[in-house]
Amino acid sequence: MSRAKKNTTTAAAPQPWHSMAPSTVLERFKSNPHGLTDQEAAERYQKNGPNRLPTYKRRGPAIRLFLQFHNLLIYVLIGAALLSLVLGHGIDALVIAAVVLLNALIGFIQEGQAEKALDAIRTMIDPHCSVLRDNCRHSIAADHVVPGDIVFLDAGDRVPADLRLLSSHALHMDEAALTGESLPVEKHTGSLAQSTALADRSNMAYTGSYVASGQGMGVVVATAQNTQLGQIGTMLQKVEVPKTPLIIQMDQFARTLALLTLSVAAIAFLYTTLIGTTPVADAFMAVIGLAVSAIPEGLPAVLSITLALGVQRMAKRHAIIRRLPAVETLGAVSVICTDKTGTLTRNEMTVSALALSDAAYDVTGAGYEPEGAILQDGQTIDPAGHPGLPALLEVAALCNDARIRKSGSTHVAEGDPMEAALITLAMKAGQDLAQIRHQFPRRTALPFDARHRFMATLHPDAQGQCFAAIKGAPEKLLAICTKERNAQGEDRPIDLAGWHKKIGQLAAQGQRVLAFAVKSFPADKQEISVQDFETDAVFLGCMGFIDPPRKEVASAIKDCHTASIHVVMITGDHAATATEIARQIGLSNTPETITGAELDRMDDPALAAAITKTDVFARTTPEHKLRLVEAFQKQKRVLAMTGDGVNDAPALKRADVGVAMGKKGTEAAKQAADMVLADDNFSSIVAAVREGRTVYDNLMKVIGWTLPTSIGEAMTILIALFFGLALPVTPVQILWINMITAVALGTTLAFEPTEPGTMSRPPRKSGRPILDGALIWQVLFLSVLFLAGAFGVFYKAQANGLPIEAARTIVVNTLVVMEIFYLFSVRYIHGSSITLRGVIGTKAVLIGVALVAVGQLAFTYLPAMQAVFDTRPISLVDGAIILLIGIALIVIVEMEKKIRRTFFARKTGKI
Ligand code: ATP
């Protein structure tokens, strides 16, 4: 009761909502069955604020910045800076402090950008719901719902606020989020005792629950924090960025590497002090430099920005990522199972053929414009003069929830496109819809459900009896009809064979076929269920709909074929229709089709054999989808599966990448999916796969550049220490290299565009470890090259009589130049980098290189920098030699890449 008081901003309620009659609740909220006016709703929104549950408080910027320092390596560095200070190495301490600060700052900025990008995308799929305002049905963002609003509930909807139900037709809710009960509970509208427990309040629908089946309508009694969910305080939307498998692997690897480096550094320190080649303080500074260069401290931030950029690029291509790991998985997808209607086709339906028991008609016109006519043998006819037609058109108008709205000079469909096409047909036939609906008011409805494939509405008839208007899949209706109505309006035994032939002919042209029937009931019939439609219906006729394929789909399917991705159509439609559409979009010239009924007869081994060569699964139910996902996964295929209905949720959850439709999809499907398609378009899935492959490549490029360069740098110091040689670079210098290259060069790889030929490669094998043989080899190979470069120029410079400071300056510049050239090589992991495109680079790469060049010039020639880093100016000739070394490096690396690809790639399937 206290809840009731809190809820009402517009009324005080002495008793709980579930114990009141619907009319009382409406009264309390100054609402009515036609809904609030727009103005009233706007005022209530002003007063109540958005209908949003509070999210977990995000960490503030200060804490986020502070957390950048909360890292084992940073502690070591801070310790090192303090020790350096104590040991009198003020400059070293300062440089280390600068490295720490810069690293934290970059990490802070990059993380912030990544979070912002992901946040922006999250809001693109905010839930919507259907409300009645000013007696018109509108789809609005769920957070704009206000107390007193009338909300419609359909299968798959998420309840946006707490509702007292005003009507319910076979309404079943999934309340697991609230009560933990996993089975759907039935709802009705009758008042309940005040003491009824929450889980038993069958006349209420609570925020966060889903409509499992049926339809209903309710008045909002509580929003936002006043809802049951808000009060329990559970399930607050936790804003966290989940990690992808690759990032998790990388985190673990980085930690291991950090520990390994610290151990090696400790051993190196002990060894050096024992053999006494280097003074303790210098040795200590050297191992600090070693540790700093080997540990890829900037890597996590670069990886997360790479992912965020990928997610952003996908969103631009209408693919909205809900769960971050899907970004990576998409790149490994080898099977795409897709719906037909709306995904491969435009879902813009036009009725083009009518079939009665002994007459056939064509319909002209396209889209929802009511311009066109009904023709028989090429001649326009007046439907009123053809006895079978008005009854068929009436049933089509009655068993229908769609509307055609005039928007400017065009007509637009609201609701199910197929039902809208029926309204357009009625308009073309000159029917008065309002009059028909007034003459036969709807008592109740059995909504369409993909499992039983028909819809029915109950109406009183002119004789004081009652009848159901039925429309649905032809096979379904033929199975429940015992009679057919002939052109004279008389009922006679149904000619099943004749109908199957007619339906087959329409479907073979790629038309979607819908059948219509009626069934009589006693006058007092008030409710209908699936069991009422098992027999005794009268078949009226069929209609053929044209739903043209989307024009960009054929080329997207071609791309899938070159990328070795198997595309499978899974549809609820007729086998012949689906097969013809599959042929039209180029799925195959002679598509192999299996129906749901055939699938049911197959055991698992038979199905396993069938799925590899099947293009179309027709007349399937959502349960079939789940079975297909499992069958593909048993074959270790990485699978993307589309879905839109509430019953598709299990298959979407189970698929490696569950894809929900943004426009046509239910909230339940979106909730279960990893990715939502803003435009419901198949080609957006293919675009996302392409981006997925790019993101994975870029992540591998970032790793493939960072690890060899960091370890190569570290090896330079390590070798010198172990062999008691003069250090070719000082610890502060190595810190400088690490700082400037990691910041300016490493990050640029996050911006790499898709490599040419990305969609001509087969999908990568999933679950491959990062640190595989290829990467270990790359690290070793590059370390050797870096060592050779560093020591080579060091000794050469000294041999030429240059002082050690100048020699070291040359080494630093050589290492940096080698890293730049290696960056150009890493940019193309699947092809050669020595191409015009490769040399020109991207804007990001060019900015990065320019920054490093300016940095190196300052490092070498600026007196202040010379004082800090103990550097000397170098000659033009030395500069040219350094450049040549860089060029030599890229040539060697490219040759190695080519050899590796030629000899090993085919064998191992790796790059
Ligand atoms: P896809 O699964 O590719 O989206 P689909 O839209 O044909 O294809 P369903 O929505 O499961 O799949 O529809 C299956 C069949 O049910 C349709 O072919 C049609 O015959 C029938 N049907 C679809 N929508 C309705 C409806 N609103 N009323 C009555 N019958 C319908």
Side-chain angles (χ1 to χ4, degrees):
M1 262 160 287
S2 59
R3 177 173 64 84
K5 258 182 225 143
K6 266 192 214 166
N7 291 336
T8 40
T9 47
T10 46
Q15 54 179 131
W17 309 117
H18 61 266
S19 65
M20 289 185 204
S23 54
T24 322
V25 181
L26 282 172
E27 223 170 80
R28 292 289 164 93
F29 282 95
K30 297 197 174 73
S31 186
N32 65 76
H34 302 303
L36 301 173
T37 61
D38 281 336
Q39 194 194 343
E40 180 63 33
E43 280 167 21
R44 293 192 188 187
Y45 183 79
Q46 279 294 322
K47 197 162 154 195
N48 292 277
N51 171 34
R52 209 180 293 142
L53 287 180
T55 50
Y56 273 105
K57 255 209 153 42
R58 178 163 292 174
R59 294 171 183 141
I63 304 220
R64 278 200 303 120
L65 183 64
F66 180 75
L67 281 176
Q68 297 292 331
F69 298 93
H70 176 51
N71 168 323
L72 177 67
L73 173 79
I74 302 295
Y75 293 159
V76 175
L77 285 183
I78 295 173
L82 291 176
L83 257 168
S84 311
L85 204 66
V86 173
L87 294 172
H89 293 268
I91 290 180
D92 298 49
L94 230 105
V95 173
I96 299 175
V99 169
V100 169
L101 274 177
L102 200 74
N103 187 61
L105 214 64
I106 303 259
F108 173 75
I109 294 171
Q110 288 187 334
E111 260 181 37
Q113 274 176 343
E115 259 178 30
K116 230 193 276 162
L118 296 178
D119 276 355
I121 285 157
R122 213 172 277 134
T123 57
M124 290 168 77
I125 43 171
D126 272 354
H128 277 65
C129 64
S130 238
V131 295
L132 191 68
R133 290 205 182 146
D134 272 334
N135 210 19
C136 279
R137 190 173 173 148
H138 299 275
S139 170
I140 60 166
D143 60 7
H144 276 69
V145 166
V146 294
D149 254 333
I150 306 287
V151 175
F152 291 98
L153 298 176
D154 284 298
D157 283 355
R158 181 183 188 275
V159 179
D162 286 359
L163 310 175
R164 167 67 168 93
L165 292 171
L166 304 175
S167 75
S168 82
H169 299 296
L171 183 66
H172 287 77
M173 305 289 309
D174 170 355
E175 295 185 334
L178 196 73
T179 61
E181 171 58 55
S182 57
L183 286 179
V185 286
E186 194 171 350
K187 296 283 174 177
H188 57 78
T189 53
S191 305
L192 300 165
Q194 289 206 10
S195 57
T196 312
L198 183 77
D200 300 325
R201 292 182 197 160
S202 54
N203 57 12
M204 300 286 295
Y206 290 108
T207 312
S209 41
Y210 285 87
V211 182
S213 59
Q215 281 178 325
M217 196 171 79
V219 54
V220 174
V221 294
T223 57
Q225 240 165 325
N226 295 328
T227 61
Q228 287 296 324
L229 197 63
Q231 292 193 349
I232 295 170
T234 52
M235 239 198 51
L236 295 182
Q237 297 155 3
K238 198 167 181 174
V239 180
E240 62 175 26
V241 182
K243 292 193 166 176
T244 71
L246 188 68
I247 303 284
I248 294 170
Q249 265 193 60
M250 201 56 226
D251 278 357
Q252 282 162 355
F253 173 70
R255 231 170 301 149
T256 318
L257 187 70
L259 286 176
L260 193 80
T261 310
L262 286 180
S263 321
V264 171
I267 295 169
F269 178 66
L270 284 178
Y271 176 81
T272 327
T273 37
L274 276 181
I275 62 166
T277 45
T278 325
V280 178
D282 290 356
F284 180 77
M285 288 313 296
V287 295
I288 292 292
L290 167 83
V292 176
S293 51
I295 301 170
E297 69 275 14
L299 196 56
V302 183
L303 291 179
S304 61
I305 195 92
T306 308
L307 276 171
L309 286 172
V311 170
Q312 242 174 0
R313 281 199 301 260
M314 287 184 186
K316 276 197 197 120
R317 311 290 305 262
H318 309 292
I320 298 150
I321 296 294
R322 288 193 70 245
R323 288 191 244 290
L324 206 52
V327 181
E328 267 176 30
T329 319
L330 271 166
V333 160
S334 60
V335 181
I336 302 178
C337 292
T338 171
D339 285 350
K340 172 179 71 69
T341 312
T343 316
L344 297 171
T345 66
R346 303 215 310 237
N347 206 11
E348 286 164 15
M349 308 262 177
T350 313
V351 178
S352 74
L354 309 177
L356 300 185
S357 60
D358 25 37
Y361 305 88
D362 293 316
V363 184
T364 57
Y368 300 108
E369 299 307 321
E371 278 143 26
I374 301 180
L375 312 179
Q376 191 176 37
D377 301 325
Q379 301 296 315
T380 304
I381 57 124
D382 175 8
H386 291 244
L389 271 182
L392 181 73
L393 296 173
E394 260 169 32
V395 168
L398 291 174
C399 187
N400 197 320
D401 290 321
R403 280 193 338 146
I404 296 282
R405 185 171 47 84
K406 205 155 182 217
S407 163
S409 59
T410 57
H411 288 76
V412 287
E414 272 179 12
D416 182 73
M418 197 167 58
E419 294 185 352
L422 296 175
I423 306 275
T424 306
L425 174 71
M427 289 155 88
K428 286 178 188 171
Q431 287 202 312
D432 184 345
L433 283 171
Q435 197 270 324
I436 295 174
R437 288 176 178 171
H438 179 74
Q439 190 183 351
F440 305 110
R442 185 188 286 194
R443 250 183 219 173
T444 186
L446 181 65
F448 171 74
D449 186 321
R451 278 180 297 195
H452 52 68
R453 292 205 189 95
F454 73 93
M455 167 177 174
T457 50
L458 190 68
H459 312 264
D461 67 12
Q463 290 75 42
Q465 292 299 303
C466 196
F467 75 99
I470 317 164
K471 73 177 196 308
E475 305 93 299
K476 175 72 198 179
L477 262 56
L478 287 175
I480 63 168
C481 287
T482 43
K483 293 191 173 145
E484 65 181 27
R485 193 156 291 171
N486 69 11
Q488 281 64 48
E490 295 154 356
D491 294 350
R492 65 185 181 199
I494 191 163
D495 169 18
L496 285 179
W499 280 115
H500 277 298
K501 192 167 158 217
K502 281 182 200 164
I503 292 158
Q505 280 166 349
L506 286 175
Q509 299 162 25
Q511 296 200 24
R512 183 178 169 88
V513 190
L514 197 66
F516 298 84
V518 285
K519 182 171 177 178
S520 302
F521 287 102
D524 60 351
K525 183 90 175 155
Q526 296 296 337
E527 285 299 330
I528 46 176
S529 70
V530 180
Q531 287 71 38
D532 291 318
F533 298 94
E534 284 167 355
T535 183
D536 286 343
V538 180
F539 201 82
L540 298 182
C542 286
M543 295 191 194
F545 296 73
I546 296 176
D547 177 18
R550 288 177 180 269
K551 69 173 186 318
E552 57 284 18
V553 157
S555 79
I557 287 183
K558 221 190 239 159
D559 286 351
C560 288
H561 289 164
T562 30
S564 308
I565 296 171
H566 181 187
V567 182
V568 183
M569 180 199 286
I570 304 184
T571 176
D573 214 339
H574 193 283
T577 311
T579 310
E580 173 54 20
I581 298 285
R583 203 191 53 74
Q584 287 176 15
I585 56 173
L587 210 55
S588 158
N589 283 336
T590 48
E592 293 277 335
T593 303
I594 288 181
T595 62
E598 287 164 345
L599 209 149
D600 284 334
R601 290 195 292 272
M602 286 182 182
D603 58 9
D604 286 350
L607 181 62
I611 53 173
T612 51
K613 47 184 198 309
T614 306
D615 304 293
V616 179
F617 289 91
R619 285 294 190 233
T620 52
T621 60
E623 288 74 22
H624 290 130
K625 282 191 175 178
L626 187 59
R627 192 164 168 222
L628 287 170
V629 172
E630 287 168 355
F632 275 114
Q633 285 178 336
K634 268 193 204 132
Q635 300 187 355
K636 301 262 174 292
R637 309 291 297 269
V638 178
L639 165 128
M641 163 74 83
T642 68
D644 46 26
V646 55
N647 301 314
D648 287 336
L652 293 182
K653 271 192 197 146
R654 183 67 201 259
D656 300 282
V657 183
V659 185
M661 300 300 141
K663 290 190 192 161
K664 189 170 106 144
T666 56
E667 291 297 334
K670 288 183 206 169
Q671 178 67 27
D674 300 293
M675 179 167 95
V676 175
L677 296 183
D679 61 353
D680 292 11
N681 191 337
F682 174 79
S683 32
S684 303
I685 308 176
V686 183
V689 168
R690 184 186 145 98
E691 288 301 342
R693 289 185 175 197
T694 308
V695 170
Y696 194 86
D697 278 356
N698 288 357
L699 292 172
M700 290 312 284
K701 285 173 192 179
V702 171
I703 296 169
W705 180 83
T706 311
L707 290 187
T709 50
S710 332
I711 295 175
E713 284 166 22
M715 291 294 265
T716 318
I717 295 195
L718 197 64
I719 296 282
L721 280 180
F722 270 107
F723 291 98
L725 310 170
L727 289 176
V729 279
T730 64
V732 259
Q733 288 171 346
I734 207 95
L735 287 174
W736 162 261
I737 302 178
N738 205 263
M739 183 172 77
I740 187 145
T741 60
V743 170
L745 297 183
T747 316
T748 65
L749 291 168
F751 298 89
E752 279 301 300
T754 309
E755 274 192 49
T758 293
M759 288 302 271
S760 336
R761 302 192 311 255
R764 73 162 205 275
K765 298 220 164 30
S766 67
R768 198 171 115 190
I770 323 177
L771 198 69
D772 59 356
L775 191 61
I776 295 177
W777 162 248
Q778 215 173 334
V779 168
L780 289 177
F781 183 63
L782 261 294
S783 298
V784 170
L785 292 179
F786 274 76
L787 280 177
F791 280 100
V793 293
F794 186 57
Y795 287 121
K796 182 84 180 69
Q798 282 184 307
N800 287 350
L802 288 180
I804 193 159
E805 291 80 10
R808 282 180 173 151
T809 312
I810 293 177
V811 172
V812 171
N813 280 297
T814 308
L815 284 172
V816 171
V817 167
M818 286 170 94
E819 290 191 17
I820 293 176
F821 278 92
Y822 180 50
L823 181 86
F824 275 87
S825 170
V826 161
R827 292 186 52 230
Y828 291 91
I829 41 181
H830 300 286
S832 171
S833 300
I834 310 185
T835 57
L836 184 65
R837 202 185 133 119
V839 173
I840 292 173
T842 59
K843 202 166 132 198
V845 167
L846 295 181
I847 294 175
V849 171
L851 278 177
V852 174
V854 171
Q856 283 311 113
L857 287 175
F859 175 85
T860 313
Y861 300 105
L862 211 67
M865 297 283 262
Q866 287 174 350
V868 173
F869 292 102
D870 209 7
T871 52
R872 301 286 179 274
I874 60 174
S875 71
L876 219 59
V877 176
D878 286 334
I881 292 174
I882 292 172
L883 266 183
L884 283 178
I885 292 175
I887 294 171
L889 177 105
I890 193 167
V891 171
I892 295 171
V893 173
E894 284 298 300
M895 272 166 37
E896 183 273 343
K897 197 156 89 179
K898 192 155 177 59
I899 295 170
R900 187 153 43 97
R901 264 212 315 272
T902 321
F903 291 102
F904 301 110
R906 270 180 216 117
K907 245 197 274 164
T908 59
K910 285 179 180 171
I911 31 144

